[in-house]
Amino acid sequence: MGTILIRNGLVTDATESRKADVLVKDGLIAKVAPEIGLSEAGEGCKVIDATGLVVMPGLIDAHTHYHLVSRGTVTCDSFPQGSRLAAFGGVTTVIDFADHNKGMNLVDSLKYRLDEMAPGMAIDYTLHQGVYGHGYDSTIGKQLEQLKDLGVKTLKIFTTYRNTGYLIENRDDLLDLFKNAKRLGMLVTAHCEFNPMIEKISDNWKGDFSPASHAKMRPAEAEGKAIEYFGSIALEADCPLYVVHVSSECGLNAVRSLREKGLTVYAETTPHYLFLDKSCLEGPDASLYVMTPPLREKSDNQALQQAVIDKEFQVVATDHCAFTREQKLSSSDCRTIYPGIPGTEEMLLLLNTLKDSKADLSMSDVVNLISTNPAKLFGIYPQKGSLEVGTDADIAIFDPSEEWTLADDNVHSASLYTPYRNFTVHGRIRTTILRGAVILENGQYFGKPGNGRFVAQH
Ligand code: URP
Ligand code: ZN
Ligand code: ZN
């Protein structure tokens, strides 16, 4: 593996931006200093001129569903394709999900997912382990201990999706899970939509099943109520809670009220809840914008953006769950449209553009949200999410000022569309480096399936 000297960049980590050079040797960050001479880098070293560019730790998308087999189909971004589009977005690590497979315990479910991922991933990855109602039994504490030994310390639970068997219905089981998580220092992450409310609306529904109805059938109040519900259990167990993809001001208010009660709540939101609203659910392409929870009001976008600025969110992640246009448009019935949209590649561009419009958001804040904080919360810091000497040389080199307009044909998801079509964004990734290897440079991708490594959480 060669030596790389990155010169004259604006080196930005979670605390500051400063003019500096970065030396990469043997896949690790070897030195960060105001000036590093060529003689120190050694002969044959690759020099990257980063004048005018931001040099930041490789980004982490903490919520992806690459190659998710679900609802009789599979998401269209395979592990190689997901890795490729991620590299175009400066992302060098993703945190994907291991389903709790029917008839398998958690350890076998995790191993199954790791075996699926290893040959295809060209960037690094770790996993959140799903814990679902259909497989819940009294051995869960033991199973969690084994998971921890295998390097997975984050769990994913649902308050909805009863028909798929994901929902853990019994409150005592949930309490037991949170108590075990507390005992083992594991983090419970939760998809929050309160199933009894959603089922009641559905049972009494007199309207149509158009994409726009999706938002009415899964209202923001269901999110708020589910956060309150999980929060009450987490409080009883005295265990922190991580809420994935907060979509609404109502959900945010529920997070705030739990924090006021003294609970540690980590909150994640996504680019689509920050920048898209339910008006997308009208017209011939409406199915393309169906995901769960659904898009909300413009006022929700504003409230969530302000909360990002106010640091009420610790993480922005994408919930990248891409289906092709064909898959998405194969139904216009909101009960059967495959839910989910792409987003990993656009994540930094959208946040950088937001940063440019808001005086109170800095580049370091952005790095925190999409690199350092997820690394810390999910136990992979400082190996990931930092530019500390001796850690993995995962680096994104970013031109923050280039202005361009997103279109279906200038992004790299196999979905062949971007939900952010016609958004004018600021910035473009010039170079992505994974453990000292250049995997993307000036629009050319060099990643190799199988080169991605599982990152154990500690
Ligand atoms: O619609 C979505 N978000 N699909 C992915 C699965 C999930 O619930 O996060
Ligand atoms: Zn979810
Ligand atoms: Zn998800």
mmCIF file of all heavy atoms in Angstrom, residues 63 65 97 156 245 319, ligand 3:
data_model
loop_
_atom_site.group_PDB
_atom_site.id
_atom_site.type_symbol
_atom_site.label_atom_id
_atom_site.label_comp_id
_atom_site.label_asym_id
_atom_site.label_seq_id
_atom_site.Cartn_x
_atom_site.Cartn_y
_atom_site.Cartn_z
ATOM 1 N N HIS A 63 -27.128 4.154 8.780
ATOM 2 C CA HIS A 63 -28.440 3.495 8.603
ATOM 3 C C HIS A 63 -28.639 3.183 7.124
ATOM 4 O O HIS A 63 -29.107 4.030 6.357
ATOM 5 C CB HIS A 63 -29.537 4.428 9.127
ATOM 6 C CG HIS A 63 -30.903 3.810 9.207
ATOM 7 N ND1 HIS A 63 -31.845 4.212 10.126
ATOM 8 C CD2 HIS A 63 -31.507 2.835 8.471
ATOM 9 C CE1 HIS A 63 -32.952 3.511 9.973
ATOM 10 N NE2 HIS A 63 -32.780 2.674 8.954
ATOM 11 N N HIS A 65 -29.703 -0.021 4.102
ATOM 12 C CA HIS A 65 -30.288 -1.343 3.817
ATOM 13 C C HIS A 65 -29.829 -1.766 2.424
ATOM 14 O O HIS A 65 -30.618 -1.778 1.479
ATOM 15 C CB HIS A 65 -31.814 -1.281 3.860
ATOM 16 C CG HIS A 65 -32.396 -0.844 5.177
ATOM 17 N ND1 HIS A 65 -32.568 -1.695 6.235
ATOM 18 C CD2 HIS A 65 -32.838 0.370 5.600
ATOM 19 C CE1 HIS A 65 -33.111 -1.044 7.259
ATOM 20 N NE2 HIS A 65 -33.275 0.225 6.904
ATOM 21 N N PHE A 97 -27.887 -3.546 8.517
ATOM 22 C CA PHE A 97 -28.697 -4.287 9.481
ATOM 23 C C PHE A 97 -28.625 -5.780 9.224
ATOM 24 O O PHE A 97 -28.666 -6.220 8.078
ATOM 25 C CB PHE A 97 -30.164 -3.842 9.391
ATOM 26 C CG PHE A 97 -30.353 -2.431 9.857
ATOM 27 C CD1 PHE A 97 -30.110 -1.362 9.000
ATOM 28 C CD2 PHE A 97 -30.722 -2.162 11.162
ATOM 29 C CE1 PHE A 97 -30.246 -0.051 9.435
ATOM 30 C CE2 PHE A 97 -30.864 -0.866 11.616
ATOM 31 C CZ PHE A 97 -30.618 0.194 10.751
ATOM 32 N N LYS A 156 -31.618 -3.414 17.036
ATOM 33 C CA LYS A 156 -32.678 -2.637 16.355
ATOM 34 C C LYS A 156 -34.022 -3.284 16.658
ATOM 35 O O LYS A 156 -34.211 -4.483 16.446
ATOM 36 C CB LYS A 156 -32.413 -2.674 14.839
ATOM 37 C CG LYS A 156 -33.541 -2.160 13.955
ATOM 38 C CD LYS A 156 -33.610 -0.654 13.948
ATOM 39 C CE LYS A 156 -34.683 -0.126 13.000
ATOM 40 N NZ LYS A 156 -34.420 -0.359 11.607
ATOM 41 N N HIS A 245 -34.353 7.554 12.493
ATOM 42 C CA HIS A 245 -35.131 8.361 11.524
ATOM 43 C C HIS A 245 -36.322 9.122 12.102
ATOM 44 O O HIS A 245 -37.456 8.901 11.707
ATOM 45 C CB HIS A 245 -35.513 7.534 10.303
ATOM 46 C CG HIS A 245 -36.258 6.241 10.515
ATOM 47 N ND1 HIS A 245 -37.311 6.097 11.380
ATOM 48 C CD2 HIS A 245 -36.110 5.027 9.898
ATOM 49 C CE1 HIS A 245 -37.782 4.860 11.307
ATOM 50 N NE2 HIS A 245 -37.059 4.196 10.424
ATOM 51 N N ASP A 319 -31.018 5.978 5.951
ATOM 52 C CA ASP A 319 -32.029 4.922 5.746
ATOM 53 C C ASP A 319 -32.083 4.553 4.252
ATOM 54 O O ASP A 319 -33.164 4.330 3.698
ATOM 55 C CB ASP A 319 -33.401 5.377 6.247
ATOM 56 C CG ASP A 319 -34.375 4.225 6.464
ATOM 57 O OD1 ASP A 319 -33.955 3.058 6.362
ATOM 58 O OD2 ASP A 319 -35.559 4.501 6.727
HETATM 59 ZN ZN ZN B 3 -34.238 1.626 7.993
#
